[in-house]
Amino acid sequence: MQTLQGETAIGTVATHQRNSRRNLYRAHCNLASGKVVPASSHIQRSASHAVTAAALHWDWGFRSYTKRRLTNALRSVLRENGLPPGHLVTFSEVYSCTPQRLAAGDCREALHILTRLHRRVRHLADDIDRAIAEHPNPTTLDQMVAQIQAQLPPPPSPTMSTLGELYRIFGQPLDSQYEDHPLDCPDCNRLRRDPTTRGSIIFGVHCPPCVADRWPRQFTRAAGSPPS
């Protein structure tokens, strides 16, 4: 299927490779018969199918295949595989040599331009086919993104200095009057390290551990017992 001007690519990589070669052959026959307009159309389709095959093989994930998207895919394929950058010029020229432009000029000159362009498109298709054969299982775009993300440093941990910040991270309630209670409180740290402390009083109450530890004594004094 033709993949110009935003059309969706249908078929496998091999299908587009075959379509590229088929259009090259039809363009050759048209050039031999002096038919400028159909030769130009087949040359353009051949280049489009060849680059579409590369875009599919390297899994660019396009929903539609416009000239701009195919050009971006071709630029990456050329760079990653060490192919001649002149292929980008060739791909651009097949779109500029429209049938209307060629039909308006001298037929012999148009045939000369198309014959040269036909040869360059054949070289483009040859290099793409060779690169695909040399890399039968290329790294997909999603895999490249995952590799880049894996190499990035982990995001910095949030700095916390108060009990309110710690409780908010874990979604635990805290009395508003203790929002600014410091995490490095010596009394709280002592209670966390005390092996005799029954259970965890860090998130079991709505106030700092050092305050919660005073509750039993406060309750005793309120009941009239002598303070400890």
Side-chain angles (χ1 to χ4, degrees):
M1 174 180 177
Q2 186 177 354
T3 55
L4 304 179
Q5 302 303 322
E7 294 188 12
T8 303
I10 297 178
T12 63
V13 173
T15 299
H16 286 285
Q17 288 176 305
R18 287 194 299 269
N19 287 338
S20 177
R21 298 297 175 175
R22 185 178 297 113
N23 279 281
L24 268 179
Y25 174 75
R26 291 174 178 172
H28 173 76
C29 295
N30 290 140
L31 289 172
S33 303
K35 299 177 181 178
V36 172
V37 173
S40 172
S41 177
H42 286 303
I43 290 174
Q44 188 182 87
R45 291 179 182 179
S46 176
S48 174
H49 280 294
V51 179
T52 301
L56 287 175
H57 184 69
W58 272 273
D59 193 24
W60 276 75
F62 295 144
R63 293 185 178 180
S64 60
Y65 287 72
T66 63
K67 175 191 173 184
R68 179 178 59 83
R69 291 173 178 173
L70 287 176
T71 301
N72 292 335
L74 177 60
R75 181 179 293 108
S76 176
V77 170
L78 299 181
R79 182 178 62 251
E80 296 298 327
N81 294 276
L83 300 180
H87 289 323
L88 279 172
V89 179
T90 298
F91 192 65
S92 177
E93 286 188 5
V94 298
Y95 286 90
S96 63
C97 292
T98 61
Q100 294 79 7
R101 175 186 172 188
L102 294 171
D106 180 72
C107 181
R108 293 184 59 182
E109 181 181 357
L111 288 174
H112 174 73
I113 293 174
L114 290 177
T115 300
R116 181 174 57 87
L117 192 58
H118 179 273
R119 181 175 64 254
R120 292 169 58 185
V121 170
R122 186 178 70 249
H123 293 329
L124 166 65
D126 289 342
D127 284 348
I128 288 179
D129 288 351
R130 189 179 306 110
I132 290 175
E134 293 175 353
H135 302 86
N137 298 300
T139 303
T140 65
L141 184 60
D142 290 340
Q143 291 173 337
M144 286 190 289
V145 172
Q147 291 174 0
I148 294 174
Q149 291 176 340
Q151 296 172 358
L152 295 176
S157 301
T159 58
M160 295 178 296
S161 59
T162 66
L163 198 63
E165 294 171 340
L166 178 65
Y167 271 55
R168 279 193 293 271
I169 289 178
F170 289 95
Q172 296 292 334
L174 178 68
D175 195 313
S176 60
Q177 63 179 316
Y178 302 117
E179 286 282 338
D180 297 329
H181 188 81
L183 283 178
D184 57 353
C185 171
D187 292 333
C188 291
N189 291 333
R190 174 182 54 79
L191 289 172
R192 295 189 188 102
R193 294 191 301 267
D194 189 354
T196 62
T197 302
R198 296 182 60 186
S200 173
I201 60 174
I202 299 177
F203 297 125
V205 294
H206 299 177
C207 64
C210 65
V211 176
D213 185 54
R214 294 197 296 268
W215 281 358
R217 287 176 290 180
Q218 293 172 351
F219 178 80
T220 303
R221 287 196 296 270
S225 302
S228 55

